[in-house]
Amino acid sequence: MQAPSVGGVMLPRGNGQTVRLSRGASLTDFAEKINANPASLVAVMLNLGEMVTATQSVSDETLQLLADEMNYNVEIVSPEEEDRELLESFDIEFGENEGGEEMLVARPPVVTVMGHVDHGKTRLLDAIRKTNVIAGEAGGITQHIGAYQVSTEVNDEERRITFIDTPGHEAFTAMRARGAKSTDIAILVVAANDGVMPQTIEALNHAKAADVPIVVAVNKIDVEGADPTKVRGQLTEYGLVAEEYGGDTMFVDISAKQGLHIDDLLEAVVLTADASLDLRANAEQDAQGIAIEAHLDRGRGAVATVLVQRGTLRVGDTMVAGDAYGRVRAMLDDNGNALEEAGPATPVLVLGLTNVPGAGDNFLVVDEDRTARQIAEKRAARERNAAFAKRTRRVSLEDLDKVLKAGQVQQLNLIIKGDASGSVEALESSLLQLDVGEEVDLRVLHRGVGAVTETDIDLATGSDAIVIGFNVRADGRATQMAEREGVDVRYYSVIYQVIEEIEAALKGMLKPEYEEVELGTAEIREVFRSSKLGNIAGVLIRSGEVKRNTKARLVRDGKVIAENLNIEGLRRFKDDVTEIREGFEGGINLGSYNDIKIDDVIATYEMREKPRG
Ligand code: GDP
């Protein structure tokens, strides 16, 4: 068969072979795999009506489209699969306990607190932490490291529970989006005076999607008007039926503020874990787990809180966490105590990494420094590609022209700086999920942990971006520079506030849409001829009202015979008026349009801006 050509470039053709490509691959990557010239792939895409450059990351659909066209079968490898393969190439298996059943020991459950804003998640996390410090471990300086462990007594036995200390389902979803399963059990906080709210449902759905059992904390029972029974009733509709009603979800009435029934809640968590989960891990293998939170510390360098999921992490171990690696120099628990080792379900602050891993990145201990470095470097390269693919939205060639001409695509560029990688990522992923239609594009040009710097302002200046500082400020010189360059730097400490404002900004950028609203109809009863004004219609207003200077169309026998007319003159008896209402008679002058007959209908309308939903 003759290979087709476009503009003299021979198009590659396959025989249905399978090509494996990583998500976010470019046409050049594809070309390399099939031994073709990247330019020829660009030509194929052009032929398909899309303009794509050779080195740009493209979407799964584009890769698929291209493969179909050239008769290849493409297999797109997800980042998780790819990572598994990467680790396998080093003979490392991630995510499985080594050895058989006999190697497994019980481990504490890991809990995330979720629920609607202001229902008391933060307060509850504080209350739990204060009242249930593990005996003998108090005394240090309490630190928020992103997670903590407490102990509680259940059936005369000391049981430990690990809490992820960043409340809200944003963090939970951000981690899950990266394929990390951090949480065994979710506590769903519902304020008894407020009841089930939108974010309650969202949180519940996230937990269900992740197959995580839920314990419901009915909070604020100290407040007047609290109605815990109502909360139980409401949640029944969402499939959470309280045990006392014959269901299998534990509901505990609490007051985070007064510290009421906190122990009952912890007991419910332990009982739920015992009833529905098999929480065991091999404590002896090389440690593996996930990074929960990380930031750059002026004095200590990269500081990461990791949750050990399997094995035991020790000072001196060589570890990789996401694209960071290093030797564990020191470990601290959430009370600031130095630890030598940390077993399954223990959160620890780790010092000694080369840079800051992302929240939800997996970590693992390897034998050699060199292996750690190689894994980290490969991941960093992949991250760069994937991030790029995620942030660029394609406009097809066909649309591009139209769209640019009409000035339809508006773009809001953002630079996000935050105090910790967890919050920055949660923020970014929430923002990228904002849906305000096709016409507006949100791009995160840069994100990072730390203060807003001159480099950020520089980037913002060059690309008209807005800078978001989440729990961070600009350093002195950056502030001056931002003022000088007129860069908008906004500071926030609550995620949903950022989201609300950005969403509003995006909506504001949308071009107004207009819709036609009918104002009134007038039936022509008589036609007067005026030498000065032309034909005047003597009318009876049949519906609504007819106003001067509004648009009109003329309808005869149900057919529109003239459009875009204007009510130029409007009279009642001898007086000029601005409007005539239904049921009244008057005279209408349609300006230079004179083709009017008795029984014609003049329908008037106006264009109104449609509110954006
Ligand atoms: P979050 O947005 O879910 O983290 O909510 P917060 O923990 O910040 O709590 C929101 C507000 O409710 C704060 O003013 C808390 O002090 C208050 N609050 C939380 N729990 C209780 C409670 O049990 N009783 C009362 N009266 N107020 C509470």
Side-chain angles (χ1 to χ4, degrees), residues 83 178 319-326 353-358 361-363 372-384 425 447:
D83 201 56
R178 310 179 123 234
M319 71 188 287
V320 205
D323 62 0
Y325 66 98
L353 290 175
T354 47
N355 58 325
V356 181
D361 280 343
N362 66 35
F363 88 82
R373 199 188 62 240
Q374 283 172 352
I375 294 173
E377 281 168 1
K378 291 220 161 98
R379 284 176 170 174
R382 202 182 50 219
E383 280 272 304
R384 276 195 298 274
E425 269 157 38
R447 60 172 159 118

Side-chain angles (χ1 to χ4, degrees), residues 166-433:
T166 38
H169 55 259
E170 288 95 347
F172 180 80
T173 6
M175 283 197 204
R176 212 164 84 76
R178 310 179 123 234
K181 175 149 178 169
S182 56
T183 300
D184 300 310
I185 290 189
I187 292 184
L188 183 63
V189 178
V190 188
N193 57 341
D194 206 16
V196 169
M197 299 300 274
Q199 287 167 289
T200 314
I201 306 303
E202 260 175 50
L204 190 158
N205 287 336
H206 283 303
K208 276 190 183 164
D211 211 9
V212 168
I214 297 170
V215 172
V216 182
V218 182
N219 191 29
K220 305 200 187 184
I221 54 163
D222 59 300
V223 175
E224 224 188 280
D227 190 350
T229 314
K230 186 169 156 207
V231 174
R232 284 169 174 73
Q234 288 177 321
L235 283 175
T236 308
E237 288 173 35
Y238 299 93
L240 288 187
V241 183
E243 277 192 331
E244 57 265 42
Y245 297 163
D248 52 14
T249 303
M250 299 190 72
F251 280 64
V252 184
D253 296 341
I254 62 161
S255 164
K257 191 174 176 185
Q258 300 188 347
L260 287 178
H261 311 315
I262 303 296
D263 281 335
D264 295 341
L265 179 63
L266 298 183
E267 182 176 350
V269 167
V270 170
L271 295 178
T272 301
D274 288 350
S276 51
L277 303 168
D278 175 24
L279 300 178
R280 292 184 301 162
N282 178 346
E284 287 174 27
Q285 67 180 81
D286 283 340
Q288 296 187 343
I290 61 169
I292 295 174
E293 186 71 277
H295 65 274
L296 258 182
D297 185 290
R298 257 172 213 276
R300 301 185 291 185
V303 170
T305 300
V306 301
L307 175 68
V308 179
Q309 294 178 310
R310 294 164 291 281
T312 298
L313 183 63
R314 295 188 175 82
V315 171
D317 280 350
T318 295
M319 71 188 287
V320 205
D323 62 0
Y325 66 98
R327 216 172 252 218
V328 180
R329 201 168 65 226
M331 292 196 293
L332 300 172
D333 68 9
D334 54 294
N335 291 310
N337 302 313
L339 298 181
E340 278 303 311
E341 53 176 51
T346 314
V348 276
L349 195 84
V350 170
L351 306 186
L353 290 175
T354 47
N355 58 325
V356 181
D361 280 343
N362 66 35
F363 88 82
L364 55 143
V365 166
V366 296
D367 292 341
E368 287 184 49
D369 292 356
R370 199 167 55 103
T371 314
R373 199 188 62 240
Q374 283 172 352
I375 294 173
E377 281 168 1
K378 291 220 161 98
R379 284 176 170 174
R382 202 182 50 219
E383 280 272 304
R384 276 195 298 274
N385 286 341
F388 191 75
K390 192 169 69 172
R391 274 166 228 170
T392 344
R393 205 196 286 166
R394 289 169 308 126
V395 179
S396 78
L397 185 62
E398 213 179 25
D399 301 340
L400 187 67
D401 212 57
K402 251 192 306 186
V403 157
L404 287 183
K405 264 196 210 117
Q408 272 171 357
V409 168
Q410 300 255 24
Q411 194 167 307
L412 181 62
N413 292 328
L414 293 180
I415 293 169
I416 305 177
K417 293 304 283 284
D419 54 338
S421 51
S423 49
V424 171
E425 269 157 38
L427 193 54
E428 184 186 10
S429 73
S430 308
L431 285 172
L432 288 172
Q433 275 166 23

Side-chain angles (χ1 to χ4, degrees), residues 413-420 423-425 427-428 431 444 446-453 456-457 460 465-475 478-479 482 487-499 501-502:
N413 292 328
L414 293 180
I415 293 169
I416 305 177
K417 293 304 283 284
D419 54 338
S423 49
V424 171
E425 269 157 38
L427 193 54
E428 184 186 10
L431 285 172
V444 178
H446 172 66
R447 60 172 159 118
V449 174
V452 176
T453 63
D456 297 326
I457 303 297
I466 292 176
V467 182
I468 293 180
F470 189 76
N471 283 330
V472 294
R473 302 274 133 185
D475 55 32
T479 306
V487 170
D488 191 2
V489 183
R490 292 162 182 241
Y491 301 106
Y492 301 90
S493 54
V494 187
I495 287 192
Y496 78 91
Q497 239 165 30
V498 189
I499 295 170
E501 283 198 17
I502 297 298

